[in-house]
Amino acid sequence: MIDRGAVQAWAGRLKLAVDARRRRLGNGTRLGGGPGASLEFHDHRPYLPGDDLRHLDWGVLARTDQLLLRRYRIETAPRVEVLLDASSSLGIDPRKNTLACECLLLLALLARGDGARCAIWVATDRWQRYEPQGLEARLDTLTPTGAAGFEALPGPALMPGAQRILIGDGLNPGGGPALVARLGREAGQVSLVQILTPEEQDPAACGPVILADVEGGEQEVVRDRTLVTAYRERLARHLAGWDQALGGRGAGMMRCSTAEGLEGAVAAMATAGLVHP
Amino acid sequence: MSAWWALLAIPAILAIHWFRRALPRRTVSALWLWGERHAAPVSGRRRERLIDRTSLRWELLAALALLLALVDPRWFDRPPARHLVVVLDTRLSLLARRQDGLTVAERLTQDLTTHFATLAPDDRVTVITTGTPPRVLVGPAVPRDQATLGLTTWKTDQTWHDLAPALDLAREVAGPTGSVLLASDRPDPAAAHVGTLLRGEVRPTAGLIAARWRPGDLHLRLAAWGQPQRRELRVTGPAGDLVRRTVDLVPGHPLDVNLPLTTTTPIDIHLDGPDPQSADDHVHLLPPQPRQVRWWCPEPGPLRRALEAQDGARPAPPAEADLVVGPGPRATGAWRITVEPGDAPPTPGPFLARSGHPWLEGIDATGCRWAGGVPLEHVPVEEVLLAAGTTALLREAPDHHLIIHADLTKGTLAEHPAWPALLAQVVANRHAHLPGRDDRNLDPGTVVRLVLPPGAEALVVDDGGILVPGADHAVLLPVLERAGLHTLGIRRNGLPEPWLTISVSPLDARLGDLTPCLSGDHPAPAAPGSTATAGRHPLLVLLAAGLAGLALVASWRAQRREDGP
């Protein structure tokens, strides 16, 4: 069950860090990629009869006798998209599911508080769009299902330029770069809030066992120290791939442990710069 | 060939090791992180998995080493398969006709077909087309025959765009061992480190480089490259020719032509005459549809006079008005202006305006004596747009409501230039929030913000892409790279409706300019590992046989350990 009080308390003390250039201006707009109407200079183009004389670059005219028009960048409203990977691996530990839902709810509240448009997508065995109204009740009843998750499902209808935040364990066999290339395409920023259990982060050796994947498949192994060391190395390489894919595209990867709960997750998000007091 | 029968040893070994053995079960969320051995879907499984034993590994290794020693040794002489990633330029400039009568695209298709025929049968080809985003036309990594067949679907119908995204994708697909080949008509700086197949030719051309249709006025810009040319400019409508004029074009001196035009039907503009590049000799334009801001102002006075003076605005009944003056009822989405004088003493400024607010762009109230302001403590501070000292003068209330705290019968505001400028800005901003678009002819590479009609739930682009509007009921229409007509529809109550047709112009000065074009081949740099390996060495067979023997011995020892106490 989500600790609504704790989420609301954090939501009241934090702000979502949206790119300053994408903040609302006046009536709620942000800078886009193409030419339009704003105060941000975009480029010049030759003057054509009928163009607005207010946008003529008089300085260039005085210096070169060329009629050039100043074009400005278009303004759009900021948009935050939160994508939750609620495949079966999220339900391997109830605390993992709860912490993921709490992070999602917190980010949705912060986006709403910042005046941004917030779209919430949840991937189980298919993509479902959650509306901000009644979000808490839907998250309370969310049951992680399916083996698809982010990697196997075709991407939902995402908006170019949005700040995209992925929530999940990030343990996809295809690796972070492929997923970021697909789900982060045309995003303004993209980052991952990674939720892991202590067992996933640092498993212990326990001898011969059948390892059954909660999303399908199993394997007989001798889980000795050699195998555990190999697991840690693969996990480290996998996480390095995520770090590399997310580098320079926003807050990066925020590692959260179910042992540390929401407080630890908030600390990770604040350290990465996704939220700030 | 009979040596391949040795492969039967592998299923035999697996069958021997097919033991049933119960082990404790642990649930994990990422099995692949534990290694790939024996992973299999649970569904449908009825037997226990093979246990990963050392003896099993040794026995499999022995079988494979034996196979290696026995199979046809010529297998080692073959060079490794190569991966060629071809980037096809889809810009309209490739429609230019060469001296040999073929277009650049046709000639490139011929030469690529020839090039593919020289590849080895197990080489692989991926074909990527340029654009935003670039697309994989054929592949990835298909046989050469399939790639040749895929070339027939190559279309050069896109406006001028950057080749770098396609080349980046090609490098990624090619990886460290593949090679990239750009097929185009001219060199590109982004293709500095890849192979190129260029078939462009420098030829004299002429064409349209800009066309702009304002109500009552058509403006065209024409240019020639290479040598002076005489052409016939023709503007046609559904009923026939509207304008016919002979123009003389001189390289380096674009010609501007202004034509009065009152028709309200689509027109076609032709630049007739022999031209190797015909893609820029014709453009189809849709007539402008000026949208007007409908306003309602019941009381005569300075506010009404200022609205009557605005271009692109006209009075309308309150139920239809986009902009309502006064506290009366207004339609959904309509903006409102009210004048609410306060009792603050007249002030000559200085005036403090909210920076960057669109309603105040270019407004300078310096020299105005403003009467009727309201003390700041009586209004929500976040709504104030213009203040003087501790007096609020302009406010923006929710739902696009402009409140003017002024007594227009006193002070000098109604006579000051800032007064009509303020109303002009409000009308201009309201115009920008009206559904649709005045000019439905888009320049290539333009991103357009479109406000949808009331009740529209989504915008459907060419019966394909769906864009959902934001809080301001607007969508950002991405760059449409295909030149020509595009159909925009909306969804209302879940049902599709046609809404707007827009025309994307192909015109770009770089399209008709063939002077940077070039013909020539620059081969792709050889990728590491793409050269043929050395021929067979008899020692290799001996090594494989020895390895098989050692593996058999090791297997025997491992099995003894496993079967021991």
Side-chain angles (χ1 to χ4, degrees):
Chain A
M1 181 70 81
I2 296 173
D3 186 347
R4 300 181 186 196
V7 175
Q8 296 281 3
W10 280 113
R13 288 151 53 187
L14 296 171
K15 277 192 173 298
L16 192 62
V18 180
D19 186 344
R21 284 156 54 88
R22 299 170 192 279
R23 277 207 168 273
R24 294 167 70 106
L25 291 176
N27 197 25
T29 56
R30 71 167 172 80
L31 295 172
S38 75
L39 299 179
E40 186 82 1
F41 176 70
H42 183 262
D43 63 359
H44 281 100
R45 72 161 173 76
Y47 169 78
L48 291 173
D51 286 335
D52 191 342
L53 282 175
R54 289 180 299 173
H55 296 156
L56 200 61
D57 194 325
W58 297 100
V60 173
L61 176 63
R63 287 195 299 275
T64 66
D65 279 344
Q66 278 188 299
L67 292 171
L68 289 181
L69 219 62
R70 289 174 68 85
R71 295 206 296 179
Y72 298 87
R73 294 180 62 183
I74 195 164
E75 294 176 346
T76 59
R79 183 179 178 90
V80 175
E81 290 172 337
V82 187
L83 281 66
L84 173 64
D85 184 348
S87 55
S88 299
S89 66
L90 194 69
I92 195 168
D93 183 335
R95 289 174 299 175
K96 190 175 174 185
N97 182 25
T98 302
L99 181 56
C101 291
E102 286 174 346
C103 289
L104 187 149
L105 181 60
L106 175 61
L107 291 169
L109 290 174
L110 292 177
R112 196 190 309 169
D114 195 43
R117 290 177 290 149
C118 183
I120 299 159
W121 291 93
V122 177
T124 52
D125 47 2
R126 61 192 172 89
W127 282 107
Q128 299 177 71
R129 181 160 182 169
Y130 281 24
E131 297 302 328
Q133 293 76 21
L135 178 61
E136 296 175 15
R138 287 200 73 178
L139 291 177
D140 273 339
T141 58
L142 173 64
T143 306
T145 51
F150 283 162
E151 193 161 57
L153 291 174
L158 301 172
M159 292 286 286
Q163 174 162 356
R164 215 162 282 160
I165 305 166
L166 316 180
I167 301 176
D169 56 19
L171 299 180
N172 54 310
L179 205 53
V180 172
R182 196 158 60 84
L183 291 180
R185 181 179 302 154
E186 299 182 325
Q189 293 184 338
V190 59
S191 50
L192 170 71
V193 178
Q194 187 187 39
I195 315 286
L196 292 178
T197 64
E199 172 73 5
E200 287 167 336
Q201 290 173 307
D202 190 15
C206 59
V209 288
I210 295 175
L211 295 179
D213 194 311
V214 70
E215 294 181 357
E218 62 180 34
Q219 176 178 337
E220 290 171 355
V221 296
V222 180
R223 199 163 120 175
D224 54 10
R225 274 190 291 182
T226 307
L227 194 66
V228 168
T229 303
Y231 172 93
R232 288 182 189 138
E233 287 170 356
R234 284 193 194 96
L235 180 62
R237 279 200 301 274
H238 180 71
L239 297 184
W242 271 103
D243 275 331
Q244 188 182 4
L246 293 168
R249 297 202 56 185
M253 182 164 68
M254 292 146 276
R255 291 168 196 162
C256 313
S257 171
T258 54
E260 296 169 359
L262 182 60
E263 189 171 350
V266 167
M269 287 190 268
T271 305
L274 183 65
V275 299
H276 59 81
Chain B
M1 187 63 199
S2 57
W4 291 102
W5 287 105
L7 276 175
L8 291 175
I10 292 174
I13 294 167
L14 293 174
I16 291 168
H17 282 263
W18 202 290
F19 291 112
R20 183 182 183 86
R21 184 172 173 184
L23 292 174
R25 185 178 291 267
R26 289 284 181 95
T27 306
V28 296
S29 52
L31 184 60
W32 56 273
L33 279 175
W34 294 96
E36 295 296 331
R37 296 164 303 166
H38 308 305
V42 171
S43 56
R45 197 172 75 82
R46 294 293 181 267
R47 297 187 180 93
E48 288 294 328
R49 311 299 312 160
L50 278 174
I51 295 177
D52 182 15
R53 294 175 174 224
T54 309
S55 58
L56 173 63
R57 291 180 171 201
W58 281 118
E59 283 168 19
L60 289 174
L61 178 63
L64 290 173
L66 201 60
L67 180 68
L68 192 66
L70 295 177
V71 293
D72 188 352
R74 281 176 300 176
W75 184 78
F76 297 103
D77 292 329
R78 298 176 62 187
R82 293 170 298 175
H83 185 196
L84 175 66
V85 183
V86 178
V87 178
L88 298 179
D89 191 345
T90 58
R91 296 180 296 199
L92 283 161
S93 64
L94 269 72
L95 292 177
R97 206 158 281 283
R98 297 157 41 94
Q99 297 273 15
D100 56 14
L102 298 174
T103 66
V104 176
E106 288 167 349
R107 181 58 194 266
L108 280 170
T109 304
Q110 284 185 0
D111 291 354
L112 280 171
T113 304
T114 308
H115 183 63
F116 288 167
T118 64
L119 299 177
D122 53 351
D123 284 346
R124 290 293 179 263
V125 180
T126 302
V127 181
I128 292 172
T129 53
T130 64
T132 309
R135 292 184 172 83
V136 176
L137 183 70
V138 181
V142 298
R144 58 184 185 179
D145 295 339
Q146 200 174 331
T148 304
L149 201 62
L151 287 177
T152 57
T153 60
W154 173 26
K155 289 180 182 172
T156 52
D157 60 353
Q158 299 208 14
T159 56
W160 195 268
H161 56 260
D162 189 6
L163 304 187
L167 288 165
D168 289 344
L169 175 64
R171 288 190 190 96
E172 194 178 326
V173 171
T177 57
S179 54
V180 178
L181 183 68
L182 169 68
S184 181
D185 62 342
R186 65 193 73 196
D188 191 281
H193 301 293
V194 303
T196 51
L197 187 68
L198 307 178
R199 290 297 178 266
E201 281 183 353
V202 181
R203 300 193 66 190
T205 57
L208 294 152
I209 58 175
R212 179 70 59 87
W213 189 1
R214 299 286 186 196
D217 180 43
L218 174 67
H219 172 76
L220 304 173
R221 182 168 289 169
L222 303 88
W225 295 272
Q227 65 186 39
Q229 301 192 35
R230 170 167 290 186
R231 294 296 184 85
E232 186 168 54
L233 176 66
R234 202 157 47 85
V235 180
T236 62
D241 285 358
L242 301 172
V243 175
R244 188 182 281 267
R245 180 180 294 186
T246 301
V247 290
D248 289 306
L249 302 172
V250 180
H253 298 280
L255 177 66
D256 286 305
V257 177
N258 285 301
L259 301 170
L261 200 64
T262 54
T263 182
T264 56
T265 56
I267 58 170
D268 288 279
I269 302 161
H270 305 270
L271 193 62
D272 294 336
D275 192 347
Q277 176 55 288
S278 58
D280 59 350
D281 292 344
H282 167 248
V283 66
H284 180 79
L285 294 184
L286 299 171
Q289 288 185 331
R291 299 163 299 162
Q292 289 200 312
V293 175
R294 296 162 298 179
W295 53 264
W296 163 252
C297 180
E299 302 292 337
L303 217 158
R304 184 166 176 166
R305 282 200 303 278
L307 286 173
E308 284 170 343
Q310 301 300 326
D311 282 338
R314 62 176 173 84
E320 300 172 6
D322 304 308
L323 180 64
V324 171
V325 176
R330 59 171 166 168
T332 306
W335 292 17
R336 186 191 295 284
I337 301 176
T338 54
V339 179
E340 299 175 11
D343 52 4
T347 174
F351 300 100
L352 183 63
R354 187 191 292 180
S355 174
H357 195 283
W359 291 355
L360 301 182
E361 190 181 346
I363 307 294
D364 183 2
T366 306
C368 172
R369 184 175 168 79
W370 195 301
V374 171
L376 272 174
E377 61 267 25
H378 294 168
V379 296
V381 177
E382 67 275 10
E383 293 183 358
V384 175
L385 301 180
L386 186 70
T390 58
T391 307
L393 307 175
L394 290 177
R395 273 200 296 142
E396 183 193 8
D399 291 337
H400 301 290
H401 181 185
L402 174 64
I403 302 173
I404 304 172
H405 291 302
D407 186 345
L408 298 175
T409 62
K410 301 175 184 173
T412 59
L413 176 59
E415 286 76 39
H416 194 274
W419 175 247
L422 173 64
L423 273 299
Q425 283 298 350
V426 175
V427 168
N429 276 276
R430 183 66 189 98
H431 183 268
H433 285 77
L434 291 176
R437 186 173 167 79
D438 291 358
D439 184 3
R440 294 178 295 152
N441 302 300
L442 301 186
D443 292 333
T446 308
V447 178
V448 176
R449 178 179 173 276
L450 277 177
V451 177
L452 302 190
E457 295 148 359
L459 178 73
V460 184
V461 183
D462 289 335
D463 299 325
I466 295 176
L467 297 169
V468 179
D472 54 356
H473 211 54
V475 297
L476 202 62
L477 186 65
V479 172
L480 300 171
E481 295 216 332
R482 180 179 59 77
L485 294 177
H486 293 264
T487 308
L488 304 183
I490 56 172
R491 277 195 183 167
R492 212 190 304 252
N493 299 323
L495 299 173
E497 290 179 22
W499 179 45
L500 197 65
T501 301
I502 57 174
S503 173
V504 174
S505 154
L507 303 185
D508 189 297
R510 294 165 292 190
L511 170 63
D513 184 6
L514 301 184
T515 51
C517 288
L518 202 64
S519 251
D521 295 352
H522 177 262
S530 62
T531 53
T533 54
R536 174 178 70 92
H537 198 290
L539 186 61
L540 200 59
V541 180
L542 290 175
L543 280 175
L547 180 63
L550 286 174
L552 282 173
V553 173
S555 169
W556 174 70
R557 292 172 61 87
Q559 200 160 10
R560 284 193 62 185
R561 276 200 307 274
E562 288 161 1
D563 294 340

